[in-house]
């Protein structure tokens, strides 16, 4: 005989512990009384001891049966909880979502996470930040489920959905000659040291960011490479150079720096949600749905 305890053994045992009557327990379980008796005997054989003391007039638990009862109930309760948990994970109601993002989109990321936390409050969200190339690489190797990137190049295995668009501005030290006005042409910054992230952080993002300079015929040479916009703007405020930045990273603006509107052809920076192509998992779908409620594909137009 197969000596494994099965779920029916536990269900039948617990029903009998509550009824202490084979007839009543079998009616409750919707099985024949002889079948219930057989299953209880089988359980006792597996356990190796009697669990019930039977007489012609009564059924009562033995000491072993009384000890086994809470354990049997705990096993069934745990299984029920595990089944419920698996179902909720499968429906995207719980679990863990890994989100990778660029720091220059922190404000947008915060809004989408806030919407998602209301939509799926029991989901654990793990965050990781990095350059656009880092975010896309995390998606491709499976260490991120969703990415937020800026001016990303197209990849065959990645889907990009527009979240926001914004203009570029110049950021100069407060004592820069151009800081006396509100606008500047990129060619006026040609001789200033340029502070920016490295091109390896995202080739398309770098080229888009420096487009105003190249449109003005400026030979783009980065004097100081930094890994995040906060550091870049801080160095500008310290008088170490100038930069071209998406508007959002200049609000609020570090003391000692000035934000100037750019004259010349407009260049737009675009922020995307990135997911693996064909990724139809419930948690990913839930994040996309929550993002839609947070303002999917809206265009950011800060006051000039």
């Amino acid at each position: 005989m197969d000596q494994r305890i099965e779920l029916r053994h536990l269900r039948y045992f617990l029903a009998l512990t509550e009824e202490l009557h084979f007839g009543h327990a079998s009616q409750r379980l919707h099985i024949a009384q002889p079948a219930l008796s057989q299953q209880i005997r089988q359980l006792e054989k597996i356990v190796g001891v009697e669990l019930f003391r039977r007489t012609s007039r009564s059924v009562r638990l033995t000491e072993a049966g009384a000890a086994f009862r809470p354990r049997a109930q705990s096993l069934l309760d745990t299984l029920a909880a595990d089944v419920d948990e698996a179902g909720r994970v499968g429906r995207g109601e719980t679990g863990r979502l890994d989100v990778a993002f660029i720091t220059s989109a922190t404000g947008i990321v915060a809004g989408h996470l806030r919407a998602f936390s209301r939509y799926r409050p029991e989901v654990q969200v793990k965050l990781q930040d990095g350059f656009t190339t880092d975010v896309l690489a995390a998606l491709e190797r499976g260490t991120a489920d969703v990415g937020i990137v800026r001016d990303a190049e197209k990849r065959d295995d990645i889907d990009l959905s527009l979240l926001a668009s914004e203009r570029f501005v110049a950021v100069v030290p407060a004592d820069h000659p151009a800081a006396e006005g509100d606008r500047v042409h990129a060619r006026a910054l040609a001789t200033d040291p340029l502070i920016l992230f490295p091109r390896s952080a995202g080739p398309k993002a770098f080229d888009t960011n420096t487009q105003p300079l190249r449109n003005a015929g400026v030979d783009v040479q980065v004097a100081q490479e930094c890994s995040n916009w906060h550091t870049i703007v801080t160095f500008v405020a310290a008088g170490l150079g100038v930069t071209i930045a998406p508007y959002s990273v200049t609000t609020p603006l570090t003391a000692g720096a000035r934000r100037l509107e750019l004259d010349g052809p407009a260049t737009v920076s675009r922020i995307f949600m990135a997911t693996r192509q064909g990724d139809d998992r419930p948690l990913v779908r839930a994040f996309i749905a929550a993002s839609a409620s947070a303002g999917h594909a809206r265009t950011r137009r800060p006051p000039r």
Side-chain angles (χ1 to χ4, degrees), residues 7 55 60 63 68 71 78 98 109 113 214 259 271:
L7 291 178
T55 69
R60 59 186 177 86
E63 185 177 350
F68 185 58
R71 290 165 175 78
T78 299
D98 291 275
V109 174
L113 290 176
R214 289 185 287 111
R259 176 179 59 238
I271 298 170

Side-chain angles (χ1 to χ4, degrees), residues 10-21 25 28-29:
L10 300 180
R11 289 176 43 242
Y12 294 171
F13 167 75
L14 289 172
L16 187 57
T17 63
E18 293 175 7
E19 300 292 344
L20 292 178
H21 189 287
R28 172 176 163 180
L29 294 166

Side-chain angles (χ1 to χ4, degrees), residues 285-297:
R285 293 201 311 269
F287 189 85
I288 292 172
S291 293
S293 70
H296 181 70

Side-chain angles (χ1 to χ4, degrees), residues 37-264:
S37 298
Q38 180 184 21
Q39 293 296 318
I40 295 299
R41 286 195 300 271
Q42 189 179 91
L43 175 60
E44 289 175 325
K45 185 173 182 179
I46 295 171
V47 176
V49 294
E50 283 191 337
L51 300 173
F52 295 95
R53 190 79 65 198
R54 307 157 177 86
T55 69
S56 59
R57 295 185 176 181
S58 67
V59 176
R60 59 186 177 86
L61 282 166
T62 64
E63 185 177 350
F68 185 58
R69 179 178 183 176
R71 290 165 175 78
Q73 186 65 62
S74 177
L75 285 170
L76 285 183
D77 290 345
T78 299
L79 177 62
D82 289 345
V83 169
D84 179 66
E85 176 77 3
R88 292 168 65 211
V89 169
R91 294 187 297 272
E93 296 172 1
T94 189
R96 172 175 142 173
L97 187 75
D98 291 275
V99 178
F101 66 99
I102 50 169
T103 54
S104 64
T106 300
I108 289 176
V109 174
H112 288 267
L113 290 176
R114 186 165 53 248
F116 183 67
S117 67
R118 291 194 297 263
Y119 192 56
R120 289 289 188 266
E122 296 185 25
V123 174
Q124 177 191 5
V125 177
K126 182 178 180 182
L127 301 174
Q128 53 181 298
D129 61 6
F131 295 131
T132 287
T133 51
D134 299 328
V135 173
L136 294 175
L139 280 171
E140 291 182 328
R141 66 174 175 262
T143 56
D145 302 306
V146 176
I148 307 296
V149 295
R150 183 185 291 276
D151 299 318
E153 58 274 13
K154 292 182 179 179
R155 300 192 182 190
D156 292 340
D157 53 350
I158 299 293
D159 288 329
L160 298 175
S161 300
L162 183 64
L163 294 179
S165 300
E166 59 182 330
R167 68 186 186 275
F168 285 102
V169 295
V171 185
V172 302
D175 59 357
H176 191 281
E180 296 179 2
D182 295 323
R183 309 183 66 86
V184 67
H185 198 286
R187 72 170 65 96
L189 308 177
T191 60
D192 292 294
L194 179 63
I195 306 174
L196 204 60
F197 54 86
R199 192 171 190 275
S200 60
K204 184 176 180 181
F206 181 90
D207 291 344
T208 303
N209 206 122
T210 55
Q211 187 66 50
L213 292 169
R214 289 185 287 111
N215 286 343
V218 177
D219 181 24
V220 176
Q221 298 290 333
V222 179
Q224 298 289 342
E225 292 184 344
C226 299
S227 60
N228 63 75
W229 280 108
H230 175 74
T231 302
I232 291 172
V233 175
T234 298
F235 282 1
V236 170
L240 300 179
V242 301
T243 196
I244 304 295
Y247 181 92
S248 62
V249 306
T250 67
T251 55
L253 190 62
T254 303
R258 281 289 313 278
R259 176 179 59 238
L260 305 175
E261 296 296 336
L262 282 166
D263 288 329

